[in-house]
Amino acid sequence: MSLGRLFRSPEAVAGFAILGLLVAIALLAPVLFPGDPLAIAGQPLTRPFQDWTLPLGTDRLGRDVLAGLFHGARTSLAVGLAAAAASILVGSVVGTVAGFAGGLVDEVLMRITDAFQTVPGFLLSLALVSVVGPSLGVVVAAIALSAWTGPARIARAEVLSIRERDYVASARVIGMHPVEIAFREVLPNALPPVLALSSVIVAAAILTEAALSFLGLGDPNRVTWGGMIAEGRAVLRSAPYLSVIPGIALVLAVLGVYLAGEGVVEGTAAREGQA
Amino acid sequence: MSTLLQVEGLSKRYRRGNQEVAALDGVSLSIAPGETLALVGPSGSGKSTVARILLRLVEPDAGRISFNGEALLGLRGAALRAIRANLQMVFQDPMAAFNPRATVAGLIDDPLRIHGIVGRAERPRAIATLLERVGLATELAGRRVHEISGGQRQRVAIARALATRPALIVLDEAVSALDVLVRADILSLLAELQRDEGVAYLFISHDLGAVRAIAHRIAIMDGGRIVEQGEAATVIAAPASATGRALVAATPELPVFKETVS
Ligand SMILES: Nc1ncnc2c1ncn2[C@@H]1O[C@H](COP(=O)(O)OP(=O)(O)OP(=O)(O)O)[C@@H](O)[C@H]1O
Ligand SMILES: [Mg+2]
């Protein structure tokens, strides 16, 4: 895909710019702020732009807000990507098995998918984290637990159409095992529309992680934007910047991921339209 | 004459909406080792249904198939996959019959790997031999299927079918989508492979010109039944059935290139 097509709309350009910034921030966090972002760095409640060593000020405990922002980007991005990858992996395997096997297997798997889809996703995540306890891995699993159903449905629909193609018949004719047909011949060709979902899933996962952290269910050993917003809530009137700054970061990150994803999908569609 | 394939009383009905269509209604035929039987007939007469049932892609409602002395319709799972080495198919549209992500080498490697024809180390050599066998340059091995021509694709399909040295290859309109010159090349390749390897063909086609070039016997289908069977030359010269006469009448005479000397 040429870059020209990717950057055809201003929204996509903005999306990639924000996403690039987010990734750079996440990668640079340990370089620019090598210390523990949870350590006390200065006077509590230093306002932004007062002290050049603490450009965005400090929170109630005197922790560096800018360092928190950088390390929080790392957490958000890592959780978002890991949760999306897990959702897409689980969803496409379930969808492929359901669509390819058909019959009772399909029926059972799709009823399970329905069940997961009926329960509000955030409740599901909340329940898992409160039962198992908050850690980064559990948060990722909790988000994936509710997010895999979308990929599963799309993968299944795609597999239903692919399994009637001649190349699947040809694979059967040469004696390929059905498991190999499902995962080597069918699944890779069913992936593109599933992958088109990934930006939406990453964006939603970043939000869910923030919401869990806001409720105190994030990994306690990590800085998260959601946790920072929650921290600032107690002093919302006197020091609104403590909630507003990570809040803006969150909105921008979600927007950037979403716009960049749309840009990729549109760019791909444009290429297929021209072919 | 020994038989390789014996099909008896094959019937298949499809439900379309609330009415049933008889796609096949008691089809019987047989093929001897190394023989080509052409299956011809108008569109919708059931030819592809016969092919798909033979390859166990579709289950018939009734009938028996004996292949190499085994009851083909009773086979399942690993036993069915194993017999597929001996019973292959070439589809009409190789572009649709190949995984769009596959490479030429990968397509030919599949049957070699699945049936353990040659060890992993010797497979590249075996793939090259098969490519040469069907008249393709071995440099094509790394290409993807959309990077080669239609005629080359059909040769790859033949190499893939040939890899396990099957006793029977079903060719469903395998040359119909090719232009005339490429079609002639593929037909002569098929005839050559038959001579060398003794493979039998079930050659499904609309095209009596192609049939005349390659088939020993012809079975004419119409409405899910076989309406006429016989030696290829005899049937084409003097078809006994109305369908046969219509097919012969619809086949354009081959153009004559030689000059008349007065
Ligand atoms: N999956 C299906 N569902 C319903 N009807 C079908 C199906 N497959 C085939 N048929 C019907 O069965 C009949 C025979 O079809 P078949 O494809 O075997 O014909 P054919 O001789 O191969 O035709 P063509 O020369 O056009 O390829 C047709 O009436 C067709 O519409
Ligand atoms: Mg057909």
Side-chain angles (χ1 to χ4, degrees):
Chain A
M1 196 184 322
S2 78
L3 288 179
R5 288 215 189 86
L6 268 189
F7 294 134
R8 85 172 30 196
S9 69
E11 291 93 335
V13 174
F16 279 105
I18 297 171
L19 196 60
L21 190 67
L22 191 66
V23 171
I25 285 175
L27 291 177
L28 286 177
V31 181
L32 296 180
F33 303 94
D36 180 1
L38 291 171
I40 287 161
Q43 278 295 318
L45 290 176
T46 308
R47 307 217 146 237
F49 315 121
Q50 305 288 312
D51 179 351
W52 66 269
T53 57
L54 300 165
L56 290 183
T58 58
D59 69 0
R60 280 192 304 159
L61 298 177
R63 294 177 295 203
D64 184 350
V65 172
L66 189 62
L69 211 57
F70 269 63
H71 283 270
R74 240 173 132 71
T75 312
S76 285
L77 212 56
V79 169
L81 291 177
S87 311
I88 286 173
L89 185 74
V90 172
S92 51
V93 168
V94 170
T96 300
V97 170
F100 192 71
L104 191 64
V105 175
D106 184 23
E107 197 62 32
V108 169
L109 286 176
M110 288 331 281
R111 290 298 80 77
I112 294 175
T113 309
D114 283 345
F116 271 87
Q117 226 162 12
T118 319
V119 183
F122 189 63
L123 274 186
L124 222 50
S125 307
L126 214 55
L128 185 75
V129 179
S130 6
V131 171
V132 185
S135 75
L136 215 54
V138 174
V139 169
V140 167
I143 296 172
L145 192 64
S146 64
W148 63 273
T149 53
R153 283 190 183 285
I154 292 192
R156 175 177 175 270
E158 197 65 13
V159 166
L160 282 181
S161 107
I162 289 177
R163 72 169 192 185
E164 302 302 325
R165 308 259 169 95
D166 271 358
Y167 66 84
V168 173
S170 169
R172 285 171 69 189
V173 163
I174 64 158
M176 196 178 281
H177 193 280
V179 172
E180 191 186 344
I181 299 180
F183 290 105
R184 260 200 56 201
E185 304 281 314
V186 176
L187 190 142
N189 290 303
L191 270 186
V194 180
L195 290 178
L197 273 184
S198 43
S199 65
V200 177
I201 297 178
V202 171
I206 290 177
L207 277 178
T208 306
E209 188 279 330
L212 286 171
S213 297
F214 182 80
L215 296 178
L217 290 170
D219 189 325
N221 303 315
R222 293 215 164 224
V223 193
T224 66
W225 293 342
M228 290 169 75
I229 296 173
E231 255 299 306
R233 200 173 41 148
V235 286
L236 197 58
R237 276 168 191 281
S238 54
Y241 66 92
L242 286 179
S243 294
V244 170
I245 290 171
I248 290 174
L250 186 62
V251 170
L252 279 179
V254 169
L255 203 65
V257 169
Y258 180 76
L259 290 179
E262 288 291 285
V264 172
V265 171
E266 266 167 34
T268 314
R271 180 185 52 172
E272 273 160 14
Q274 279 175 1
Chain B
M1 190 172 67
S2 65
T3 53
L4 172 65
L5 177 79
Q6 181 85 47
V7 174
E8 275 166 56
L10 224 47
S11 293
K12 175 73 186 175
R13 305 178 74 80
Y14 281 112
R15 188 179 299 281
R16 214 180 294 146
N18 47 13
Q19 66 179 28
E20 285 211 329
V21 192
L24 295 185
D25 183 10
V27 168
S28 301
L29 51 84
S30 71
I31 300 179
E35 181 191 39
T36 300
L37 173 68
L39 196 55
V40 298
S43 189
S45 55
K47 307 179 297 292
S48 293
T49 307
V50 171
R52 293 189 159 261
I53 290 173
L54 282 180
L55 271 303
R56 291 294 304 273
L57 295 169
V58 165
E59 296 304 305
D61 300 327
R64 276 197 308 274
I65 303 175
S66 154
F67 177 70
N68 249 346
E70 279 195 83
L72 192 65
L73 293 175
L75 297 176
R76 300 181 66 239
L80 176 59
R81 289 199 298 278
I83 207 167
R84 290 186 183 284
N86 229 349
L87 173 57
Q88 278 299 304
M89 172 155 179
V90 174
F91 292 77
Q92 170 168 4
D93 176 5
M95 201 57 196
F98 291 160
N99 186 332
R101 319 169 78 85
T103 61
V104 168
L107 287 165
I108 301 175
D109 188 54
D110 283 339
L112 297 173
R113 170 177 56 83
I114 289 164
H115 295 284
I117 305 295
V118 289
R120 177 188 283 267
E122 292 115 71
R123 289 216 297 264
R125 183 73 225 122
I127 292 168
T129 309
L130 278 160
L131 284 174
E132 279 164 17
R133 194 77 196 80
V134 296
L136 287 176
T138 51
E139 289 83 57
L140 292 184
R143 298 266 190 95
R144 297 197 172 269
V145 290
H146 56 84
E147 295 168 341
I148 58 177
S149 75
Q152 288 172 329
R153 265 181 225 133
Q154 207 53 303
R155 285 176 192 266
V156 172
I158 292 169
R160 177 168 152 107
L162 212 59
T164 54
R165 297 181 154 267
L168 175 64
I169 300 180
V170 175
L171 302 128
D172 189 357
E173 311 269 10
V175 297
S176 308
L178 305 173
D179 75 61
V180 195
L181 293 176
V182 179
R183 182 182 313 175
D185 282 349
I186 300 278
L187 286 173
S188 90
L189 170 68
L190 289 171
E192 180 194 324
L193 293 171
Q194 184 167 63
R195 219 168 31 241
D196 298 350
E197 322 239 343
V199 57
Y201 298 129
L202 178 63
F203 185 83
I204 297 175
S205 181
H206 287 102
D207 173 5
L208 280 185
V211 166
R212 193 191 333 240
I214 195 168
H216 301 108
R217 285 189 303 122
I218 296 183
I220 297 177
M221 283 192 78
D222 201 353
R225 297 164 187 266
I226 292 192
V227 293
E228 181 172 359
Q229 259 194 89
E231 290 298 316
T234 319
V235 171
I236 291 173
S241 63
T243 312
R245 282 193 294 274
L247 281 169
V248 170
T251 305
E253 287 292 322
L254 288 176
V256 178
F257 294 116
K258 63 186 174 200
E259 289 175 27
T260 44
V261 185
S262 54

